[in-house]
Amino acid sequence: MKLKPQALLCPRPAGLYCPPGDFYIDPTRPVDRAVITHGHADHARAGHGVVAATPETLAIMAVRYGEDFAGRVEPLRYGETIERGGVDVTLVPAGHILGSAQAVLRWKGMTIVVSGDYKRRADPTCAPFEPIACDVFVTEATFGLPVFRHPPDSDEIAKLIKSLEQFPQRTHIVGAYALGKAQRIIRLLRQAGHDQVIYTHGAMARLDELYTGFGVDLGPLAPATVEKKAAFEGAVVIAPPSALEGTWVRRFADPVPCFASGWMRVKARARQRHVELPLIISDHADWDELTNTISEVRPEELWVTHGAEEALLRWSALNDIPAKALAIVGYEDEDDD
């Protein structure tokens, strides 16, 4: 009799649980044993007994939560395998942020891949997504609607560069999530030839240092703490999106509010946030990336953890792939935070 996938992985209140290995993947509450796919707070929480993750993800968690964020840590580099209760666990790149990984579980001839969050386009700050053929593919669906087709990153950065040239006296403040998106925007600017000092919000300093320590060259950076507005004329400032809505922005010279997010495809979102220059840059797969990835890994079943799952479930049905929504509570969208 063929094993059911639920014998290897099943949803529980704390998240995805592996019964034979007795561990969770990205649990939403403290557990004894956890495998963490990446460092964003909705997937990586403090308080677990043992955490297995890439060295980069463990370093991110230490920066965010302190060195004692778990009872014990198990660094697992890409391609390395550990065994838990007869289950082989391997981490492979997910292309989401630095250190992000898919968790590949193999047991009794069955393979389940838990993607975590991922994207398929090139990112100069992290390793690219590695497709793994599997029996069950567990995917996100943050942008699981056909309307979401992200433009090339280079086109969006070109908009920012053009605006800098058009308004040399104004400060361009780019709202970007502090972990991953901010560093990616900086590297994309460097690739586009912007070699001037980029100013960053204090909430990003330690993460910028961490990225640099792992070999990601961010170029000249400086804290956005100078009091004279003239110091920021013509400059780029990277800040968490929430900072754009407070008094913090008043220190800058006639600021141009920018926001880097896949949600900037929705014009109403940009208007609600009073964004003058929307940049459609996301660390999540768009509709084509989601469907192409599913076609590439050829799963016998598709499970969707969170996001806009209805359209993806319908697409799967039309392509004869059994699919279901797990609707895991606790996973949020940092792309719009």
Side-chain angles (χ1 to χ4, degrees):
M1 178 181 292
K2 185 176 180 179
L3 286 170
K4 293 184 177 181
Q6 290 81 0
L8 175 55
L9 193 68
C10 59
R12 287 193 177 180
L16 287 171
Y17 177 66
C18 175
D22 190 24
F23 62 84
Y24 285 84
I25 299 175
D26 292 348
T28 58
R29 62 185 69 170
V31 299
D32 290 338
R33 286 167 291 279
V35 174
I36 303 299
T37 62
H38 66 282
H40 283 146
D42 57 332
H43 292 255
R45 291 169 166 83
H48 305 309
V50 181
V51 170
T54 63
E56 296 89 342
T57 294
L58 294 174
I60 289 168
M61 294 180 72
V63 165
R64 297 192 124 187
Y65 302 126
E67 295 293 338
D68 58 349
F69 66 86
R72 182 164 58 88
V73 299
E74 294 182 318
L76 191 60
R77 298 186 181 280
Y78 292 138
E80 292 183 350
T81 299
I82 57 174
E83 187 269 336
R84 293 290 180 270
V87 179
D88 287 337
V89 182
T90 308
L91 299 182
V92 299
H96 181 53
I97 63 170
L98 180 70
S100 61
Q102 305 169 78
V104 182
L105 312 184
R106 295 184 174 95
W107 181 65
K108 296 186 176 181
M110 180 184 298
T111 300
I112 295 181
V113 175
V114 181
S115 73
D117 291 335
Y118 67 100
K119 65 178 180 291
R120 298 302 305 268
R121 60 192 61 206
D123 182 337
T125 69
C126 66
F129 181 96
E130 181 179 324
I132 301 294
C134 53
D135 299 291
V136 178
F137 186 55
V138 184
T139 184
E140 62 142 315
T142 301
F143 292 107
L145 290 170
V147 68
F148 290 112
R149 288 182 164 93
H150 306 324
D153 301 339
S154 57
D155 290 357
E156 299 303 287
I157 291 298
K159 293 180 185 177
L160 178 55
I161 297 292
K162 183 178 180 181
S163 186
L164 286 165
E165 295 170 348
Q166 289 178 325
F167 305 106
Q169 275 73 48
R170 301 183 69 184
T171 305
H172 286 66
I173 306 177
V174 181
Y177 192 73
L179 171 57
K181 181 71 66 63
Q183 295 77 25
R184 182 179 172 204
I185 294 296
I186 293 170
R187 277 300 308 153
L188 290 171
L189 279 166
R190 300 307 188 199
Q191 288 183 340
H194 186 82
D195 58 2
Q196 300 175 34
V197 171
I198 294 175
Y199 295 91
T200 62
H201 189 281
M204 301 175 175
R206 294 185 67 193
L207 292 169
D208 291 340
E209 292 173 1
L210 184 146
Y211 266 67
T212 300
F214 278 101
V216 180
D217 183 8
L218 300 178
L221 304 177
T225 55
V226 180
E227 294 184 2
K228 294 182 180 179
K229 291 185 178 182
F232 297 105
E233 289 184 0
V236 174
V237 176
I238 313 291
S242 58
L244 274 64
E245 300 172 359
T247 59
W248 186 79
V249 298
R250 296 176 185 172
R251 71 183 68 188
F252 303 108
D254 191 14
V256 178
C258 315
F259 190 13
S261 168
W263 294 109
M264 290 298 97
R265 170 68 70 185
V266 182
K267 293 181 179 180
R269 292 255 188 157
R271 289 195 298 268
Q272 289 168 359
R273 287 181 171 269
H274 307 289
V275 174
E276 188 171 332
L277 181 61
L279 303 171
I280 307 171
I281 299 176
S282 177
D283 283 328
H284 294 267
D286 66 7
W287 174 258
D288 290 332
E289 291 173 65
L290 290 169
T291 55
N292 289 341
T293 298
I294 295 164
S295 298
E296 186 173 5
V297 301
R298 305 184 306 278
E300 294 183 8
E301 287 188 37
L302 179 72
W303 297 356
V304 184
T305 55
H306 62 291
E309 66 267 8
E310 292 86 357
L312 198 56
L313 296 179
R314 177 59 179 161
W315 176 90
S316 299
L318 292 173
N319 285 273
D320 299 319
I321 303 172
K324 66 179 181 180
L326 302 181
I328 294 179
V329 177
Y331 293 163
E332 306 295 339
D333 174 26
E334 84 289 334
D335 210 49
D336 198 34
D337 194 345

